[in-house]
Amino acid sequence: MTGGLGDWFGTTVVETGRLPLFCLFAGMLAGFAFIRFSTRMIRAQVSWWPGNIEFPGAPAERDGPERDGPEQGTAGRNGGGLHVHHVVFGVVMMVAGGITGFALPADADSGWRAAMGALFGIGTALVLDEFALILRLRDVYWSKEGRDSVVAVFAALSVIGLLLIGERPVVVRDLGEAVGQGTPGEWAVDIGLSLFNLFLVAVTMLKGKYLSGFAGLFFPVVLLVTAVRLARPQAPWARRRYRRGPGGEPGRKLARAVRREERWHGPLARARVRAMDVVAGRHDDAATG
């Protein structure tokens, strides 16, 4: 078993030059696990855990209502001083790892590239773990919106994992084949297929099926199914194209979409939320303003 795994690793990762990508994946996974453990220890007020990095100072201006964030201690609660979020350390790690990785000569030892990949991966995890904060410019770490950070981390890990085993987005494959073949007819066919796949991705996303749209970038057969099915009732497609009756009651398509949402998507969404809370810590049910 060990020999088989080692052979697979050597053939799929090392010999294909994907060792830095593997280290990026491992560093990102380890960084996410550590920072979530840390913030949960801080939230639980465990006395022996080192906690936040804060500097005393004058009261800071706040954007939005005051509430305790993922790592706020005394200074954060009193509105004074400087609280350093871990996204800051993530940005520093990404800059250091990225610049060093690009600066290494082409014949540099692969160990250095792997190390920079791991550093970049850890930094990426710290940044994406506060993706919801960056998106909204307020601390929503433990709120309902904070789950967007968990989704962002797992989306990035999924993409890296697919690239690691040799999968590429179908658009990249089509354009790569066009570049390799080069005849005008083949260019037209491959570019046409790429544009058609991107159109199906856009339709799928507008219908509120984000996971299917993401999967369709790598496996286009998914798009052929999801792009023609009903949209989710809150999706932009449903709001624009599914009509309501004279009294505001849902039309036939919208009513079917609501029934399907209640029957299938509702239980799946609740199960996904429970799984995220197990992995990343329980979030507040109420959204913050």
Side-chain angles (χ1 to χ4, degrees), residues 1-208:
M1 182 68 178
T2 304
L5 184 60
D7 293 340
W8 175 87
F9 184 82
T11 304
T12 307
V13 177
V14 178
E15 293 180 7
T16 57
R18 298 183 190 131
L19 183 59
L21 185 64
F22 173 81
C23 291
L24 189 153
F25 179 86
M28 188 174 173
L29 193 61
F32 177 68
F34 169 78
I35 201 60
R36 279 287 163 169
F37 175 79
S38 176
T39 54
R40 290 172 80 167
M41 291 296 100
I42 295 170
R43 192 187 195 196
Q45 299 182 352
V46 177
S47 59
W48 52 266
W49 189 250
N52 308 316
I53 297 180
E54 295 173 337
F55 301 95
E61 293 184 1
R62 285 181 170 271
D63 180 14
E66 291 190 14
R67 76 184 296 272
D68 290 346
E71 305 164 322
Q72 286 183 329
T74 304
R77 286 193 296 270
N78 293 335
L82 174 65
H83 169 75
V84 183
H85 285 266
H86 53 262
V87 65
V88 176
F89 300 98
V91 169
V92 172
M93 290 180 182
M94 290 178 71
V95 170
I99 291 177
T100 305
F102 282 115
L104 289 172
D107 57 348
D109 186 85
S110 61
W112 279 103
R113 295 189 183 280
M116 292 306 101
L119 181 64
F120 194 91
I122 295 171
T124 302
L126 299 186
V127 170
L128 290 183
D129 188 58
E130 294 200 308
F131 171 78
L133 180 150
I134 300 170
L135 181 64
R136 295 172 175 83
L137 293 181
R138 68 178 189 273
D139 199 341
V140 293
Y141 195 88
W142 291 118
S143 74
K144 182 179 179 181
E145 296 100 322
R147 293 192 180 101
D148 291 347
S149 298
V150 185
V151 173
V153 170
F154 279 98
L157 285 171
S158 299
V159 171
I160 298 171
L162 288 170
L163 294 174
L164 196 56
I165 61 175
E167 292 291 340
R168 291 180 299 167
V170 65
V171 174
V172 175
R173 291 201 301 267
D174 289 341
L175 292 179
E177 291 175 2
V179 171
Q181 294 165 353
T183 65
E186 290 163 337
W187 265 94
V189 170
D190 289 328
I191 291 175
L193 286 174
S194 298
L195 293 175
F196 179 67
N197 284 322
L198 289 176
F199 169 75
L200 292 181
V201 169
V203 170
T204 302
M205 293 290 190
L206 287 172
K207 288 189 172 184

